[in-house]
Amino acid sequence: VFFLRERLKGFAKGSSFVPKHVHVIGAGVMGGDIAAWCALMGLNVTVQDQNLNAIAATLQRAAQLFKKRLKLPFLVQAASDRLVPDTDGLGVIKADVIIEAIIENVEAKQKIFAMLEEKAKPDAVLATNTSTIPLEVISKNLNNPGRVVGIHFFNPVALMQLVEVVADPHTDPKVVAQATTFVGKIDKLPLPVKSSPGFLVNRVLMPYLLESAEIYFEGVPGPVIDKAATDFGMLMGPIELMDTVGLDICVAAAQSMGAPISEQVVAMVHAGKLGKKSGAGFYTYPHGKVVKPKVDPSKKYPEDISDRIIMRLVNESAACLREGIVTD
Ligand code: NAI
């Protein structure tokens, strides 16, 4: 793991790019936390949203992050000063890196990038945090589609170290190298990937989750499946993970990747059982905390659960390698 981390850090050394100012468009769950993280890491940040409440919530979450990480009041103050609300998007013309993290809507994103191509500095990195829309669709109407790169963070931003740097065949290699260096500069681990549904992480995660759902509907209790995964070394079991991510998001992600998802999961979504956020999914969440059913210890369950779920993940990884999503 140490060598793999060093390898990822090495990707960031591909350019001499020195980003100083980041502009984030969309201050939601992701954009807000990306902006806060960049300010924590010493960059000047402007954060834009059409919704003032989203910006206010971002500043609140950022203040908590700065306090927790920096502790000393003058450092907290300095980080807060680096994070500037920017409802009019004035930061666009000055930023070295612009990260779009608005809602997952093609037309809205295309509009933002048309504006960015016109207004941003000619050498600014123009990035999208999209999880599902292909880069070539977002950049389709631009004069220079090669300028757009994916910088795909994971939720929660402050805890997840891996960031996928997404390129399609049009993407300018210089832009990819700059984006990768930027990711290293904010102390994350960049992984270059090819633009393809699910990129690497969500692509290999999906069959693992779907297999877990199959096992669940075969009659194995959730806690037994989760334990097989945590015994293997996962931080959280797949059943609880699906509830945490949201079953609606899981279904949408599976469908966008063309992965076959169990009808029973789709039915749960239709019934409003979305997981933690709706109070019930595979488990229940009476006070926001998971309640798992008790498992009868005298009952025998199949012993191949971790094999079934982990092998799906390994198998998909091999497919990603074959398809050149990652180089090795
Ligand atoms: P969200 O719904 O929490 O936030 C979107 C924000 O964009 C909202 O505050 C909204 O007011 C703002 N917005 C919408 N149109 C805008 C415009 N034209 N100009 C300025 N602001 C605008 O969404 P979330 O979950 O943060 O997702 C954002 C992006 O990040 C999506 O592309 C999603 O695919 C991607 N993503 C989401 C992850 C997640 O776990 N939620 C993980 C990785 C990527």
Side-chain angles (χ1 to χ4, degrees):
V1 170
F2 173 78
F3 287 122
L4 286 170
R5 291 171 57 90
E6 290 301 301
R7 178 93 205 286
L8 291 169
K9 282 185 197 161
F11 287 127
K13 295 183 183 141
S15 82
S16 55
F17 185 47
V18 187
K20 295 204 171 88
H21 176 178
V22 180
H23 182 76
V24 179
I25 307 179
V29 174
M30 295 304 290
D33 284 6
I34 293 168
W37 181 262
C38 291
L40 179 72
M41 290 296 124
L43 295 169
N44 293 323
V45 182
T46 38
V47 58
Q48 175 183 353
D49 199 295
Q50 58 201 17
N51 176 356
L52 275 178
N53 292 335
I55 294 195
T58 291
L59 297 182
Q60 255 175 11
R61 292 205 306 279
Q64 284 166 2
L65 176 74
F66 300 156
K67 245 195 211 152
K68 192 166 153 211
R69 298 283 181 126
L70 299 170
K71 300 200 169 71
L72 298 175
F74 76 99
L75 291 178
V76 173
Q77 184 60 49
S80 306
D81 291 346
R82 285 193 295 270
L83 180 60
V84 179
D86 179 13
T87 39
D88 297 327
L90 301 175
V92 166
I93 52 170
K94 289 186 290 183
D96 306 308
V97 176
I98 302 175
I99 303 174
E100 169 278 310
I102 68 164
I103 43 163
E104 197 71 336
N105 174 290
V106 174
E107 287 81 33
K109 287 192 194 279
Q110 285 174 336
K111 239 182 173 169
I112 295 277
F113 279 92
M115 177 275 286
L116 292 180
E117 185 173 50
E118 196 183 310
K119 288 196 181 156
K121 292 197 295 193
D123 56 352
V125 170
L126 308 185
T128 173
N129 185 48
T130 182
S131 292
T132 58
I133 307 172
L135 280 190
E136 53 273 29
V137 171
I138 292 177
S139 63
K140 185 170 89 181
N141 303 326
L142 301 184
N143 296 321
N144 181 4
R147 278 193 78 181
V148 180
V149 66
I151 301 185
H152 185 235
F153 289 81
F154 294 91
N155 187 9
V157 174
L159 296 181
M160 304 301 274
Q161 287 191 293
L162 192 75
V163 174
E164 292 171 319
V165 177
V166 186
D168 72 18
H170 306 288
T171 319
D172 182 346
K174 186 176 155 223
V175 174
V176 179
Q178 289 176 324
T180 312
T181 297
F182 161 72
V183 172
K185 286 264 189 286
I186 57 167
D187 204 25
K188 296 282 182 196
L189 301 172
L191 175 69
V193 296
K194 195 168 89 175
S195 177
S196 157
F199 311 132
L200 178 73
V201 172
N202 289 338
R203 168 91 181 264
V204 302
L205 181 67
M206 196 45 71
Y208 161 87
L209 295 180
L210 297 185
E211 189 71 20
S212 310
E214 288 297 325
I215 298 172
Y216 179 90
F217 289 114
E218 283 167 17
V220 179
V224 174
I225 304 169
D226 281 346
K227 184 165 183 308
T230 51
D231 284 352
F232 178 85
M234 296 296 184
L235 286 178
M236 181 188 275
I239 300 294
E240 189 176 350
L241 181 60
M242 279 189 276
D243 269 358
T244 306
V245 170
L247 298 187
D248 52 335
I249 305 280
C250 289
V251 169
Q255 285 167 347
S256 80
M257 283 177 236
I261 187 156
S262 143
E263 280 307 316
Q264 282 130 307
V265 181
V266 178
M268 285 170 77
V269 172
H270 287 153
K273 286 176 111 181
L274 307 181
K276 189 174 176 184
K277 63 185 167 191
S278 73
F282 290 104
Y283 299 131
T284 52
Y285 299 82
H287 303 289
K289 282 243 151 60
V290 63
V291 175
K292 299 188 178 187
K294 290 250 168 330
V295 176
D296 179 355
S298 65
K299 247 184 148 176
K300 285 263 169 288
Y301 292 105
E303 283 175 4
D304 62 351
I305 296 171
S306 67
D307 275 354
R308 277 182 65 181
I309 57 180
I310 301 297
M311 282 176 182
R312 289 292 303 271
L313 193 156
V314 173
N315 212 26
E316 201 66 25
S317 305
C320 287
L321 188 57
R322 185 180 62 225
E323 293 170 27
I325 312 287
V326 279
T327 51
D328 61 60

